[in-house]
Amino acid sequence: MDFYQIKGKNPLSGMLTVHGAKNSVLPILAATLLASGQSTLYNCPELTDVSITMDILRELGCQVRREGSTLVVDASQPTSAQIPHHLMQEMRSSIVFLGALLSRMGEGQLSYPGGCELGPRPIDLHLSSLRALGAEIKEQQGMLIAKGGNLVGKDIFLSIPSVGATQNLMLAACGAVGTTTIVGAAKEPEIIELQTVLQKMGAKVWGAGSSVIQIEGGYPLHGIEHHIQGDRIVAATYLCAVAACGGDVTVQGVSTQYMGAVLDGLERAGCHLQMGQKQVRLQSGGKLQGISMVRTAPYPGFPTDAQAIFMAALSGGTGTTMFEENLFDSRYRHVDELSRMGANIQVSGRVAVVTGRELHGAQVNGTDLRGAAALVVAALSAQGESQVTGLHHIRRGYERLEQALRGLGASIALVQRT
Ligand code: EPZ
């Protein structure tokens, strides 16, 4: 099994450019299915989740090729509406294809997406919303069999601002006759970017970024060119690493306007930030101070995806921080592994209380994407050597993480075990 060999306490310095956002490129690849033509996407990171999504498009009859960080998708003649089980199981967020399939093909068959390391991942809002547009969706033997050639726009209320359900609805509504209004929509930057891509395709969509999004469906959609925005969670990861290790790093290629909650937390923990529109310079002495409370919440609140990473950075500092994880039921699985490095973290339900103290190296195992990244951040700031396993999780969301960190002066090596 591959692992990272990390020697902690190197201060980090230099500059890096963040790769394209995983949580933008995945729904946007689903959106290319709506366009009868060729779409070109720039700044697409080489991640396993992106490769899986490319394979799904190929299974549907699209031509897909990668040229460096550019993806070219030709969805002129899709030949299937069925996503094979093994691809659905590898990546539950493929559920967003259901809306795209209903919109383009009038039908879709895919297996029920399993839960994941974060606990149960219900899709009730996806299904109830699509059914409200007129889709007939049967759940049988773990499969979702959807029919929906005559979707009709409706007012849809989302009881939770679900990112995936909002995206699914936007894609399905493009193929519905009339206007769909989503009330209680997610406001994430990735939703705004999906709207931008759909508008480029010729769709009539507006309101993304607010809690009310409107889509007037029925317009023929054509291929587009688009540059994927930088990944705000990957940016947060690098910033937390330098915050925890100490140093002076400039992260560029990401809209700082979308990182407010994380940047505020880092500043309150003692970092010095200089911000531009698309870059942020962080200077840190390496010992973060506790900031009393961090509550995760839908955008623009503190992102759940940055919770583990920020917790790791604070664990090796001083003072106390209480975390409250409000999005997922089981997103503290990194805590046991951080404790093996000496972290003092007490968990009770949704709350985790971190009391900062010196961390020491250990053998630790990542069990989910952001939890594994958090262990890397902790190991970089710990005294001594660490081995971090579970790298397949990291490869889902971070492109060449060890190379980027080495470029900043970290002592990290990928050890490949046969
Ligand atoms: C997206 O997941 C992201 N994934 C997640 O990032 C992110 O953590 C999450 O949004 C929240 O920001 C992608 O964009 C691919 P949700 P998604 O639907 O869409 C509940 C990462 O690390 N819910 O907004 O699945 C759900 O259980 C990943 O990159 C229902 O109850 O998240 C959760 O508690 C991890 N019923 C809450 O809503 C539903 O039908 C938010 O989930 C749908 C969701």
Side-chain angles (χ1 to χ4, degrees), residues 66-134:
R66 176 183 279 277
E67 296 163 359
S69 63
T70 299
L71 296 185
V72 181
V73 180
D74 187 332
S76 305
Q77 290 162 334
T79 54
S80 166
Q82 185 155 349
I83 300 179
H85 175 75
H86 72 276
L87 292 179
M88 275 305 294
Q89 289 311 298
E90 280 197 67
M91 195 181 69
R92 59 168 312 285
S93 52
S94 317
I95 185 68
V96 77
F97 271 94
L98 186 52
L101 283 167
L102 286 169
S103 203
R104 180 73 192 271
M105 313 289 280
E107 63 174 328
Q109 294 90 37
L110 39 90
S111 56
Y112 211 95
C116 72
E117 308 85 5
L118 309 183
R121 299 290 291 273
I123 58 168
D124 56 304
L125 296 177
H126 295 247
L127 300 182
S128 59
S129 303
L130 296 174
R131 283 171 175 143
L133 295 184

Side-chain angles (χ1 to χ4, degrees), residues 27-68:
I28 288 170
L29 279 172
T32 62
L33 184 64
L34 301 187
S36 53
Q38 179 172 293
S39 294
T40 303
L41 303 176
Y42 303 104
N43 196 30
C44 296
E46 293 187 48
L47 306 170
T48 43
D49 277 10
V50 175
S51 305
I52 293 165
T53 307
M54 291 164 66
D55 289 343
I56 288 174
L57 285 168
R58 292 184 181 111
E59 287 283 341
L60 300 175
C62 302
Q63 308 297 317
V64 186
R65 69 175 187 275
R66 176 183 279 277
E67 296 163 359

Side-chain angles (χ1 to χ4, degrees), residues 294-351:
V294 176
R295 292 183 185 85
T296 65
Y299 188 86
F302 193 93
T304 175
D305 295 349
Q307 175 255 107
I309 298 152
F310 193 39
M311 182 186 288
L314 288 165
S315 297
T318 60
T320 299
T321 303
M322 181 186 284
F323 281 82
E324 190 178 271
E325 173 51 63
N326 296 305
L327 275 291
F328 292 106
D329 294 335
S330 168
R331 202 162 197 176
Y332 285 141
R333 298 180 62 184
H334 47 281
V335 168
D336 287 347
E337 296 303 294
L338 288 173
S339 305
R340 290 166 54 80
M341 303 175 87
N344 178 353
I345 305 171
Q346 308 303 318
V347 174
S348 172
R350 290 190 175 280
V351 171

Side-chain angles (χ1 to χ4, degrees), residues 175-195:
V177 172
T179 300
T180 297
T181 301
I182 307 172
V183 180
K187 300 189 272 193
E188 271 71 3
E190 294 76 25
I191 302 283
I192 298 172
E193 190 168 16
L194 179 60
Q195 172 177 280

Side-chain angles (χ1 to χ4, degrees), residues 150-352:
N150 309 300
L151 299 182
V152 176
K154 288 284 289 289
D155 291 355
I156 308 272
F157 172 72
L158 289 179
S159 54
I160 298 174
S162 157
V163 173
T166 301
Q167 292 165 340
N168 236 337
L169 258 176
M170 289 167 75
L171 296 174
C174 287
V177 172
T179 300
T180 297
T181 301
I182 307 172
V183 180
K187 300 189 272 193
E188 271 71 3
E190 294 76 25
I191 302 283
I192 298 172
E193 190 168 16
L194 179 60
Q195 172 177 280
T196 302
V197 165
L198 291 172
Q199 288 171 338
K200 285 183 179 179
M201 289 180 171
K204 303 296 178 216
V205 191
W206 56 96
S210 78
S211 57
V212 180
I213 299 177
Q214 289 201 300
I215 305 101
E216 195 182 320
Y219 291 84
L221 304 184
H222 53 75
I224 46 93
E225 293 197 20
H226 181 75
H227 188 280
I228 300 287
Q229 70 179 315
D231 192 312
R232 58 194 171 99
I233 304 301
V234 169
T237 307
Y238 290 121
L239 291 171
C240 285
V242 60
C245 298
D248 182 348
V249 167
T250 298
V251 171
Q252 56 185 18
V254 64
S255 296
T256 51
Q257 64 174 331
Y258 294 148
M259 297 186 65
V262 170
L263 298 177
D264 172 62
L266 287 166
E267 204 155 41
R268 283 160 55 208
C271 298
H272 176 63
L273 299 180
Q274 290 168 273
M275 264 174 285
Q277 197 180 1
K278 303 283 278 186
Q279 69 174 41
V280 49
R281 178 181 179 185
L282 186 146
Q283 293 166 292
S284 164
K287 276 275 175 234
L288 296 185
Q289 298 123 36
I291 59 169
S292 73
M293 191 77 198
V294 176
R295 292 183 185 85
T296 65
Y299 188 86
F302 193 93
T304 175
D305 295 349
Q307 175 255 107
I309 298 152
F310 193 39
M311 182 186 288
L314 288 165
S315 297
T318 60
T320 299
T321 303
M322 181 186 284
F323 281 82
E324 190 178 271
E325 173 51 63
N326 296 305
L327 275 291
F328 292 106
D329 294 335
S330 168
R331 202 162 197 176
Y332 285 141
R333 298 180 62 184
H334 47 281
V335 168
D336 287 347
E337 296 303 294
L338 288 173
S339 305
R340 290 166 54 80
M341 303 175 87
N344 178 353
I345 305 171
Q346 308 303 318
V347 174
S348 172
R350 290 190 175 280
V351 171

